[in-house]
Every structure is written in C-alpha cells, then in structure tokens.
Amino acid sequence: LQMGNSQSSIAPNLQHAQAIGLLQLSGKKLEEWPAAIHRLNNNLRTLDLSNNRLTSVSTSIDGMVQLKQLTLSSNRLTGLPDQVCSLSKLTILSLERNFLQSLPAGFSQLKSLKTLQLSGNKFKDFPASVLDLPALELLDLSTNSITQLPGNMSNLKAVELNLNQNQLKLLSDSLADCPRLRILRLQENCLPIDQFTPKLLRDSQISLLAVEGNLFLMKQFDQLEGSQAYQERVTAVRRKAEH
C-alpha cells in the first residue's frame, strides 16, 4: 500500500512536468521506478529522482529521447541498465551515494555527457568506459574504494578529475598526457611520494593538484623534481584569472 500511495502522489507533478519538461520527484519515498513518467518521454528534459529508495532504473529509460539532466543521487542502485547508454542528449548524470560498482559496457556512447557524478559509491576499479566519453568535463569519483588507475588514462577528456577519499596506492604516468586535464584532486588516499613523477608535475597541463592527506608531508612534495614547473603553471593560471 505504501508503494501505491507514493506512486499516486506524483500525479500532480506529472501534469506540471508535461508543460515545463522538468520532473522533480526528489524525496518521495519511491521504492520502484514510476512507470507513469514514461508518458512524458517526448518532452522530458530534466528528471530528478534523488533521495528515494530505488534499487533499479527502468529499461524503458531509452524512450526519454530529450533527456539532458538525470539525477539519481541518494538511492539504492546497484547497477544501471544498458538502455541508459542510448540517452544521446544527456549532459549531466548524478549518481552520488548509491551502491554502484561498475558502469554498463556501452557507457561511452553518451556522446553529450559533460558532468558525471559518481561520488560515494562502491567502485573498487576505475570505470574504464569513462575514458572514451568525448565531451566529458567533470568526473567525480571521490569517496569510493579505487586502488589504482588504468594505464591509458591519457584518453580521459575531462578538465577536472576528483579522486579524493579513495584507496589509491598507484598513479599512472599517462595522466600527464590527458589533453584537457587542469584539476586533479587526490586528497586522502594512500599515495607515496614517488607516485608524483617529474613527468606528471612538469609535462602535464595540471594547474591545480590537491594532494593533502597522503603518505608524505607537503614539504616533501614541494621538493620534488618538476615541482617548480608545476608551481609556475599555478602562478600563470592565477595571473590570467586576475586580469
């Protein structure tokens, strides 16, 4: 009965969403994906189902052909259906605070995706499919259990990569070859000082490298080979921002 009540309570939201293309169903105690939302398939651009009790995403989601923003944070999701991968207009996908350990195989088909929020999940392995997302700008994988990065990190298109609060022991030198990476957050991991190579510090485009809370002191970091080149980039970016 509880589930029925929560599903029927969304009827007024649906009428409003039909007109504006935005459906806000956050905190409705939903335990199942509301089938009624698929009546809005052709004009729904923003869907927020955060703070519910969903354990799965409907395979009918591929009918939401206009969807640009999908928020599913703070649910109980353990996986995503392959149908998510056909949302060709999706630019923002928020999946924080769920139980995800992996992404669907075809995830790199999300050609418009710019922001991917995966903080507070159960990832132990870095999800390699994100490396092939062509439009990606922000990737947040903080507060997971990732221990190392794949060797082909240079394929990553993101401008900002957040890996704070993981269990990283190893970095990949290929991070230095990421074409657009400017911000790399690695706070509160298990990284020894030798993982910050001259190549990463000297040859990358990174101008904000957050490394506090690892297995070394910050004064050691400042003495690394390549650290001066990194500091010069930081200063140049700051000056540019001031003008």
Side-chain angles (χ1 to χ4, degrees):
L1 189 68
Q2 172 65 44
M3 206 267 315
N5 285 346
S6 60
Q7 292 266 6
S8 61
S9 71
I10 70 173
N13 301 74
L14 291 177
Q15 288 166 345
H16 188 50
Q18 187 78 45
I20 63 169
L22 182 156
L23 182 56
Q24 173 69 262
L25 294 174
S26 180
K28 296 281 188 188
K29 300 181 180 174
L30 296 171
E31 293 179 13
E32 287 185 22
W33 187 269
I37 61 180
H38 292 288
R39 287 184 231 144
L40 306 171
N41 273 359
N42 291 331
N43 59 348
L44 198 60
R45 290 185 299 279
T46 302
L47 175 60
D48 183 353
L49 283 160
S50 60
N51 296 294
N52 281 295
R53 300 167 186 173
L54 301 175
T55 54
S56 64
V57 173
S58 170
T59 54
S60 302
I61 196 166
D62 55 359
M64 296 184 179
V65 290
Q66 302 299 328
L67 201 62
K68 287 190 169 184
Q69 184 168 350
L70 177 59
T71 305
L72 294 165
S73 351
S74 299
N75 275 285
R76 298 170 185 177
L77 302 175
T78 54
L80 298 174
D82 292 335
Q83 286 80 357
V84 165
C85 306
S86 61
L87 299 175
S88 61
K89 293 190 177 180
L90 198 66
T91 57
I92 300 173
L93 179 55
S94 301
L95 293 158
E96 306 101 313
R97 298 176 300 281
N98 277 287
F99 300 97
L100 300 172
Q101 296 182 42
S102 62
L103 297 173
F107 199 76
S108 59
Q109 292 167 26
L110 293 171
K111 300 296 184 209
S112 304
L113 196 64
K114 291 182 178 179
T115 299
L116 179 56
Q117 305 272 13
L118 293 167
S119 178
N121 276 281
K122 303 289 179 187
F123 286 92
K124 291 179 181 174
D125 297 313
F126 187 93
S129 54
V130 304
L131 298 175
D132 298 316
L133 291 168
L136 193 63
E137 291 174 3
L138 169 65
L139 174 59
D140 187 351
L141 274 159
S142 59
T143 323
N144 278 286
S145 305
I146 298 167
T147 56
Q148 62 182 39
L149 301 178
N152 59 337
M153 285 299 293
S154 56
N155 293 345
L156 184 71
K157 312 299 186 294
V159 177
E160 177 172 351
L161 173 58
N162 187 342
L163 288 161
N164 288 348
Q165 295 180 318
N166 274 278
Q167 295 168 21
L168 285 171
K169 299 177 179 71
L170 299 167
L171 292 179
S172 168
D173 245 6
S174 61
L175 275 169
D177 300 318
C178 291
R180 301 200 300 163
L181 190 63
R182 299 292 185 274
I183 300 170
L184 178 57
R185 302 185 188 279
L186 297 164
Q187 290 171 291
E188 296 180 50
N189 275 280
C190 311
L191 291 164
I193 193 78
D194 64 6
Q195 290 301 300
F196 296 89
T197 61
K199 180 176 167 70
L200 184 63
L201 293 170
R202 195 177 50 219
D203 303 335
S204 73
Q205 303 289 319
I206 298 165
S207 55
L208 194 163
L209 186 54
V211 298
E212 293 81 1
N214 280 284
L215 306 182
F216 55 85
L217 300 172
M218 284 310 292
K219 64 179 182 185
Q220 291 174 275
F221 181 79
D222 295 336
Q223 292 161 0
L224 285 172
E225 185 188 342
S227 181
Q228 192 178 345
Y230 163 66
Q231 291 299 341
E232 284 167 7
R233 276 199 309 279
V234 173
T235 305
V237 167
R238 193 177 296 141
R239 283 199 185 125
K240 200 172 175 183
E242 285 167 2
H243 290 304

